[in-house]
Every structure is written in structure tokens, then in C-alpha cells.
Amino acid sequence: MATRWGLCGAGKISHDFSIAMKTLPPGDHQIAVIASRSLERATEFAKKHGIPKAYGSYEELANDPDIDIVYLGVLHTEHWRVGLLFLNAGKNVLCEKPFAMNSRQVQDLAAAAKRNNVFLMEAIWSRCFPVHAEVRRLLAEEAVGEVKLVKAYFGSPQLHIPRSVEKELGGGALLDIGVYCLQFVLMVFNGERPESIQATGVLLDSGVDESVVVTMKFSGNRMAFCAFSIAARLPNDAVIAGTKGSIKVLGPMHCPTTLVVNDKETEYPLPKPCLPLNFTNSTGLRYEAEEVRQCLLKGLKESPRMPLADSVLLTEIMDEIRKQVGVVFSQDSQ
């Protein structure tokens, strides 16, 4: 049986997700319905992507019995509210990153998933890429000795994009792209909580972070360094330096196709899209879709590649960075 997907949100990421799905066997994955707050948008999206059903409200999707999993691709300020709607309706959910606006909201979502005995995963698609799987394998066999330092950079000029710069839309570098650097560090250090976090950054007039630098210290004298910005392009790569060598994930590190291990380069090519994409390497969304299918087939309630504990810790670290840099969202006082 194919995994039947319901898409929530008819925006840019749902467009790319739909195109990525077309690179997977139709016997395994099927987008059964698209839901938007505007029926017109949903119908237009359905026509474009060959989706049989369109809804003009999220509630209709929550009440649809013929869906195995909901892909939540709405603005991240909405993740908490809309996520709870689906979880409380007994739906499995793959929620786009960042999971929510702060760790309290993330804990609410995780608790709702547990209470309703449904699957929940934060869509950190990076972790499902073959490059990241190979990184984990190399680390498990200590291919570069003991890891001493992890560096991750992500900079993308996005000051012209409202959702990147406006506080009401959950803007800022940290929540949009910094999350990728931090999740990479947590993956390398197996979801361990850092002993210390030091962050410094600059804010836009809107009160969100434009550029941030973070240093973290982990047990056993291991360090991590992250820099991210929505004002400038950065190398967008990640490096793991060990006592016996190094692993380099070439940019774009959040959706990589090239891995360099001690100067030996390996390519992991992506399938070509059938329509133009909004974001880089988006056909790679196929990997997280397949990860979800495998989890559901096994009856798992979370993904071992991105467990809920990692999502909670990731958001707690982001809360601490925002505190140090001085970014406060209205959701923090609710």
C-alpha cells in the first residue's frame, strides 16, 4: 500500500515537496489531498500537481480518514497551533522546520503526539540525505579519530523576503537557516547537551537576528562553531575535524550531494525535477518522505534519524541563543 500524504499549506515548500514525491515510486507514495486556507489556492495547486482532492480549510484535512500522514508546510509561527489540530485529530505529522517558535511549543507538540499515540517528526530533511547517513557511519567507526571541532556555516542573502525579516512572521537567521548548522552539530555529538553556549549577533530594525556566531563546548573538550546570516552568502559547508583526519560536507550543507573524507571526494547525485523548484536541491525532500514511510511501516512514533528529544534540545539551544542575542517573539510570553 502506498503511504497517503495530505499536504497542509499550498506555498513554495509544498510545491517542491510535491515535485520531490514524483521521483519516488507511485506504489510507495501518493499525495491524496492538498489543504489551504483558500480553496482557490488549493484547487489551483491540486491541478498543477495532479492531486485528486483539495480542501479550503485545515480542519477538513484533519477530519479526512483516508490520510496516513500530514506534511505541515505552513509559516512556522503557525506550526504549534496547526500541528496541535492534526495531532489531536489523531493524525501522523511531518512538520517543517523550525518545529515551532520556542521549546515550550515544541514540548506541547511532542506531548500531544504521545498522548494521541501518533507519529511526529521535525522535517530536518538534511538528516535523511545519503551524505548525512555516511557521516554518521564514518563517525560510528571513528574514521577520523576523536572529534575535536565541528564547524558549520550557512549564509543566504534573504533581506528582501518578508518571512525572513519580519518578527510577526517568525523571521531571523537562527530559526530559518541557523537551525541547520545547530542540528548538524547535535547529530555529530549524538544529541548531547552542550556544557556551554556563547552567542553574539546583530539584529535588524525589526528585532530579529540578521547574523549570529555561536560557539559551544561539549564534554571531553570538544567544540563547535556556527555562523549564519540572512544578509550575506557564506561558504555553507560543514567540517568535522578529528585527531586522525577530517570530514567535509560541501555546500549546500543542509541538502548536500558531495562529501570529502580526508581529501577523497564522493558525489551523491539527486534526481532531476520535472518542474522548476523554489529551493536548492529540493528533490532531496524525497529522502525524508521515504524515511517517514519506513517509520510508519515499522509502527514507530518518531524517527531514529531525528528523534523528538533532538528537536526539543535543538529548540532549547535556539531559545538560549535568542536570549543572548536579544530576540524575543510574542510567542515567548504566551
Side-chain angles (χ1 to χ4, degrees), residues 53-332:
K53 251 191 305 192
Y55 292 140
S57 75
Y58 302 155
E59 288 73 17
E60 287 170 280
L61 178 56
N63 296 324
D64 188 329
D66 301 322
I67 294 298
D68 299 311
I69 178 128
V70 171
Y71 172 72
L72 193 53
V74 295
L75 264 181
H76 42 266
T77 47
E78 294 287 290
H79 286 178
W80 175 73
R81 186 183 64 79
V82 182
L84 288 177
L85 168 76
F86 290 119
L87 295 168
N88 289 330
K91 291 282 183 280
N92 299 311
V93 173
L94 172 65
C95 177
E96 254 316 326
K97 50 57 59 186
F99 218 159
M101 296 301 291
N102 55 39
S103 57
R104 183 186 50 79
Q105 288 192 341
V106 169
Q107 281 159 343
D108 282 353
L109 290 166
K114 204 171 198 140
R115 199 169 56 242
N116 293 289
N117 194 31
V118 291
F119 174 88
L120 176 63
M121 178 184 179
E122 181 179 12
I124 302 282
W125 62 320
S126 319
R127 293 218 175 171
C128 304
F129 270 69
V131 165
H132 280 63
E134 181 61 10
V135 168
R136 284 193 299 274
R137 191 189 68 76
L138 290 164
L139 292 173
E141 60 179 45
E142 298 181 353
V144 291
E146 192 190 333
V147 174
K148 298 305 290 179
L149 180 71
V150 181
K151 288 191 302 183
Y153 300 93
F154 196 160
S156 163
Q158 293 177 193
L159 296 179
H160 59 288
I161 303 171
R163 70 166 182 85
S164 295
V165 298
E166 288 174 25
K167 191 182 264 194
E168 295 68 41
L169 302 179
L174 174 66
L175 262 64
D176 189 26
I177 58 180
V179 59
Y180 286 122
C181 300
L182 299 168
Q183 74 77 24
F184 184 80
V185 169
L186 291 185
M187 183 185 81
V188 174
F189 292 140
N190 281 318
E192 191 182 304
R193 186 178 293 276
E195 289 178 352
S196 69
I197 302 167
Q198 279 159 328
T200 184
V202 290
L203 306 187
L204 295 170
D205 292 342
S206 62
V208 302
D209 52 299
E210 176 224 85
S211 303
V212 180
V213 171
V214 183
T215 47
M216 291 181 279
K217 190 175 165 195
F218 288 80
S219 66
N221 296 327
R222 297 169 302 163
M223 304 275 287
F225 174 86
C226 300
F228 35 92
S229 172
I230 50 170
R233 198 168 295 290
L234 292 175
N236 298 1
D237 57 5
V239 180
I240 302 165
T243 49
K244 293 180 185 166
S246 69
I247 298 169
K248 188 172 187 178
V249 177
L250 295 193
M253 60 78 71
H254 69 299
C255 49
T257 55
T258 313
L259 185 65
V260 183
V261 184
N262 297 330
D263 302 325
K264 183 178 174 281
E265 195 171 297
T266 311
E267 289 283 341
Y268 298 81
L270 278 167
K272 296 274 181 283
C274 62
L275 282 173
L277 298 165
N278 293 303
F279 304 108
T280 309
N281 289 355
S282 279
T283 48
L285 289 163
R286 72 200 299 268
Y287 300 128
E288 71 177 4
E290 185 55 28
E291 167 67 9
V292 167
R293 174 172 166 81
Q294 292 308 320
C295 289
L296 294 180
L297 290 173
K298 290 172 189 156
L300 300 178
K301 300 304 172 193
E302 53 184 289
S303 161
R305 290 196 178 181
M306 188 64 202
L308 293 174
D310 272 28
S311 290
V312 171
L313 176 58
L314 180 58
T315 323
E316 285 172 351
I317 291 170
M318 294 204 292
D319 285 356
E320 176 58 29
I321 292 168
R322 282 200 296 119
K323 197 168 133 191
Q324 292 186 25
V325 174
V327 176
V328 182
F329 291 113
S330 59
Q331 290 85 353
D332 297 331

